[in-house]
Amino acid sequence: MNQRALSILEYDKIISRLETFASSPMGKKKCAALLPSADYEEILHAQEETRDALSRVYKNGPLSFQGLADIRPHLRLLEIESALTAGELLDIARLLAVTAQVKEYGETEDEDISFDSLHPYFDMLEPLEFLHRRITSCILSADEISDDASAALRDIRKEIKQTNIAIHNKLASIINAQNNRTVLQDALITMRNGRYCVPVKAEYKNSFKGMIHDQSASGSTLFIEPMAVVQLNNKIKELDIQEQVEIEKILQQLSSQAAGCTRDLQENQDILTKLDFIFAKAKFAKSYQGSEPLFNTDGILDIKQARHPLLDPTKVVPVHIYIGEEFQMLLLTGPNTGGKTVSLKTAGLFQLMGQAGLHIPAFEGSRLAVFSDIFADIGDEQSIEMNLSTFSSHMTNIIGILKEAQPDSLVLLDELCGGTDPTEGAALAISILDDLHTAGIRTIATTHYSELKMYAMETDGVENGCCEFDLETLSPTYRLLIGIPGKSNAFAISRRLGLPEYIIDQAHSQIDATAIDFETMLSELEKNKAEIEREQAELYQTRQEIESLKNQLKERQDDIKEKRAELLRQAREEAHNILTEAKEVADASIKKYNAWAKHPGQDNTKKMEAQRSNLRGRMSKLEKQLAYKTKKAKNVRSPEDFKVGDAVFVTTLSLKGTVQSAANKNGDLVIQMGFLSSTVNYKNLELLDKEKEKPQDKPKDRYSINKAATISPEINLLGHTVDEAVAKLEKYLDDAMIAGLSSVRVVHGKGTGALRKGIHEYLRRQKFVKSYQLAEFGEGDAGVTVVTFR
């Protein structure tokens, strides 16, 4: 792609913005290297990836690759069997953590995105959980190896701790001895050259047995290692060496494990870098509400409601630019600062963005062509170094374009042949445009020459266009009108600015009558087209409203049909049950009457009367069930009956509430129902008796609400003893459960591990605790425990 066009059309600024959406250094580097492609299939694939990533961002939220480092240098060291440092191994662990996070993000049950173009990338990721666990369990930070990394390291550090205690006890007895109080400068223990010492006054150096390691700046104090602790200090040094050897051994073992996974690690990094790049494109598209353009190989460009991405989105005016179907060349005319150059740059920049796989800030369904190259001659090209004027610089560039442009190229020319004699410049411009038109090269050009307007009107495949100008405000509207040549509006602007009328009249007389008629015709055309477009916009809006109302009516009718069918089904079912019951009762009664008729008597007569009474009762009950019932309001249906503070029952929501405001002219009141505040019509309300209210649950709800609002999801127990921490933790966990928290974080620090063990022992005995575990790497590690409630 032509590098000059990339610079002129400000493609580099688009790439700079794209880089800010990538999380990793490798992703940013890939964004910086992005160039437009001329391969149709490659463009479609890049656009598909951007679209699928954008769909996932909208449905599942953004995907972060934060913490992803470049481990390629580490992998090269592993290939030559070199041991990695703790920091380098942590880089690998972080990559595996990001890999697991990204793979989990990619696993979705949504059928629309589960097998999209990004699915193979997510599927190929290998989190290598065993390696991640091994590294993070052994290495706490770049400067700290865990005691549990090996049994030998744990034993060495235990012995170091015991030896340090012995040294401190020995030195404490020395500095606390009565006979040493005059000898020592201060009663403290210090370190010099990695060995424990005490400060001794210089005049007592011969009487205090030990090795001198340092002295104060004044020379009055000597730092002496007492002979009593020399052997213990030597042991500390030996243990330090053993510790370092064991750490190097652990790092070597971890490096060997990582070396067996170099291929998977390399593939993970490559895939994560690719996904970071793709999701950067998606997040960039989301920032300017971009859409996927439709590509063709027919040279058709049709960008609807295009908004230049580098302009203020609150001020930019959308334009509709199209070329390639009815005409292959578009000539834009009109006054300066009217938006011609912006429209020109928008068309070129959108082509570059689209062919680079980026979405464009335009209306859905916009079309772009696949051009083998894009050429642009825009702006002031004056060159002092090459001793070229503006016209000469432009002409040099245009000559190069004419040599290199092909039928599948796009050429953008701003103020063609400007900066020279108007007559010669217009003739030259027409010849250049005619050459491009004859070659079938898609061209968009801007000009002030009236002769080019006539050329466009007389030549097939060439169309005029202009940027609308409002004579009332003397300002451009920046709306692009294709099919109408533009006017300079010099006379109108001058008149509004106060130029004397006689000067304007004299200027008019200098213009040929034919030219004046032509300009008048252009004004009428522009005015008529603007009116037609406004009417079309209003008609389109009306159609949209009608369509929306039709859809709402259809939904309501469908809903009514469904409810009616359900009511009929329920009525038939209820009627069937009633008739079945009536038949069963009738059959039983007939059997009884027949039996009583065979044996007439006083007792049977009483039984028959009782049966008739029973039947009458059942009949009355069945008639009531078959009758259509209407629910009667319990209260008078009048807005004035509802006062502020009254307890009411909202029939449409089946909720109790309190009146917060008097009814308006429509009979609507504001009702507070717990957390919910809603406007309800008085017809859907019933007054409640105050004695029937049940406020006993409110204190509990309010307490829970207050707790939920004030409780923190984390408690800090640093500096507490185990007993103090457990007591504080017990109250905090009670409050957290009342507030409805599902999990909390307990900060206890690493230290000696005593506080952590005490807290874990307490949590293990609590039945309401579902699980507890140390926090993930980067979220507190061994210094934080995450507690989950049942």
Side-chain angles (χ1 to χ4, degrees), residues 215-485:
Q215 69 177 6
S216 64
S218 62
S220 61
T221 303
L222 298 176
F223 296 96
I224 299 177
E225 177 186 2
M227 292 302 297
V229 297
V230 169
Q231 290 299 323
L232 292 174
N233 272 330
N234 289 341
K235 186 177 181 181
I236 286 289
K237 280 292 183 183
E238 292 173 0
L239 290 172
D240 286 342
I241 294 172
Q242 292 177 24
E243 180 187 28
Q244 193 57 41
V245 170
E246 184 60 25
I247 288 174
E248 290 175 0
K249 182 180 177 182
I250 292 167
L251 295 177
Q252 182 63 58
Q253 291 173 347
L254 292 174
S255 299
S256 298
Q257 284 184 294
C261 306
T262 52
R263 183 175 178 179
D264 288 334
L265 291 170
Q266 181 65 62
E267 288 182 356
N268 282 345
Q269 171 150 317
D270 293 342
I271 293 170
L272 291 174
T273 301
K274 177 72 172 178
L275 286 173
D276 188 16
F277 163 68
I278 293 171
F279 275 88
K281 293 194 297 178
K283 289 182 281 187
F284 185 35
K286 185 173 182 287
S287 71
Y288 54 72
Q289 297 179 337
S291 65
E292 180 185 8
L294 306 177
F295 276 88
N296 65 86
T297 55
D298 302 320
I300 298 172
L301 185 148
D302 184 7
I303 310 173
K304 305 171 184 177
Q305 299 295 302
R307 311 177 308 277
H308 197 291
L310 299 179
L311 297 180
D312 185 346
T314 62
K315 297 179 180 179
V316 64
V317 178
V319 294
H320 184 188
I321 308 171
Y322 54 94
I323 185 176
E325 283 188 300
E326 298 178 1
F327 53 90
Q328 288 71 47
M329 181 175 289
L330 178 62
L331 300 183
L332 302 178
T333 52
N336 289 327
T337 69
K340 301 190 305 297
T341 303
V342 171
S343 298
L344 195 69
K345 283 189 170 184
T346 300
L349 182 59
F350 277 33
Q351 270 297 150
L352 294 174
M353 291 175 64
Q355 291 186 223
L358 299 173
H359 284 185
I360 58 174
F363 197 74
E364 198 77 34
S366 294
R367 292 183 291 171
L368 295 177
V370 177
F371 292 113
S372 63
D373 214 337
I374 298 175
F375 300 93
D377 181 62
I378 300 172
D380 186 4
E381 297 292 325
Q382 185 172 356
S383 174
I384 298 174
E385 293 85 353
M386 298 180 66
N387 194 25
L388 295 175
S389 66
T390 299
F391 175 77
S392 300
S393 295
H394 278 294
M395 189 51 61
T396 302
N397 190 25
I398 290 170
I399 291 170
I401 292 173
L402 293 174
K403 287 180 180 178
E404 298 179 25
Q406 301 295 325
D408 57 352
S409 300
L410 174 65
V411 175
L412 307 171
L413 303 172
D414 187 32
E415 302 295 351
L416 179 60
C417 294
T420 188
D421 177 76
T423 304
E424 294 182 356
L428 197 56
I430 290 174
S431 297
I432 292 170
L433 292 174
D434 198 55
D435 183 66
L436 291 169
H437 182 51
T438 303
I441 299 171
R442 303 295 188 273
T443 305
I444 304 177
T446 68
T447 182
H448 281 289
Y449 295 137
S450 297
E451 292 86 346
L452 268 64
K453 303 175 190 178
M454 295 301 299
Y455 169 76
M457 296 179 72
E458 296 171 351
T459 309
D460 291 336
V462 182
E463 186 61 88
N464 272 306
C466 70
C467 290
E468 189 180 48
F469 191 86
D470 189 343
L471 293 177
E472 295 296 323
T473 61
L474 294 182
S475 60
T477 64
Y478 302 106
R479 292 178 63 246
L480 183 63
L481 304 176
I482 294 179
I484 300 176

Side-chain angles (χ1 to χ4, degrees), residues 537-554:
E538 291 175 2
L539 182 60
Y540 175 77
Q541 185 176 357
T542 303
R543 286 178 178 173
Q544 290 292 100
E545 291 174 357
I546 292 172
E547 191 66 28
S548 177
L549 290 172
K550 283 174 61 180
N551 291 335
Q552 291 177 15
L553 180 59
K554 187 177 182 302

Side-chain angles (χ1 to χ4, degrees), residues 179-209:
N179 58 344
N180 287 333
R181 290 185 177 179
T182 57
V183 175
L184 299 177
Q185 193 72 265
D186 291 296
L188 57 84
I189 302 169
T190 184
M191 286 200 86
R192 288 294 186 274
N193 301 322
R195 300 179 77 88
Y196 289 101
C197 304
V198 293
V200 179
K201 295 176 181 178
E203 58 267 26
Y204 293 104
K205 65 179 181 180
N206 293 326
S207 61
F208 192 88
K209 303 298 181 182

Side-chain angles (χ1 to χ4, degrees), residues 618-672:
R618 284 179 175 271
M619 289 294 292
S620 176
K621 181 180 178 182
L622 291 175
E623 286 174 359
K624 290 179 180 179
Q625 288 181 339
L626 287 170
Y628 178 74
K629 301 173 186 177
T630 57
K631 186 176 181 180
K632 296 181 181 178
K634 296 181 181 179
N635 306 101
V636 180
R637 308 285 284 259
S638 173
E640 291 75 19
D641 293 329
F642 299 91
K643 310 297 183 185
V644 175
D646 282 351
V648 293
F649 180 80
V650 183
T651 58
T652 54
L653 299 176
S654 296
L655 292 175
K656 293 181 181 179
T658 306
V659 177
Q660 297 294 312
S661 70
N664 60 18
K665 62 180 181 179
N666 296 323
D668 297 328
L669 304 93
V670 176
I671 306 299
Q672 187 71 37

Side-chain angles (χ1 to χ4, degrees), residues 73-74 76-86 88-89 92 247-256 258-259:
H74 310 345
R76 285 194 288 271
L77 290 174
L78 292 177
E79 289 173 357
I80 59 174
E81 299 182 357
S82 177
L84 300 182
T85 64
E88 290 168 341
L89 286 166
I92 293 177
I247 288 174
E248 290 175 0
K249 182 180 177 182
I250 292 167
L251 295 177
Q252 182 63 58
Q253 291 173 347
L254 292 174
S255 299
S256 298

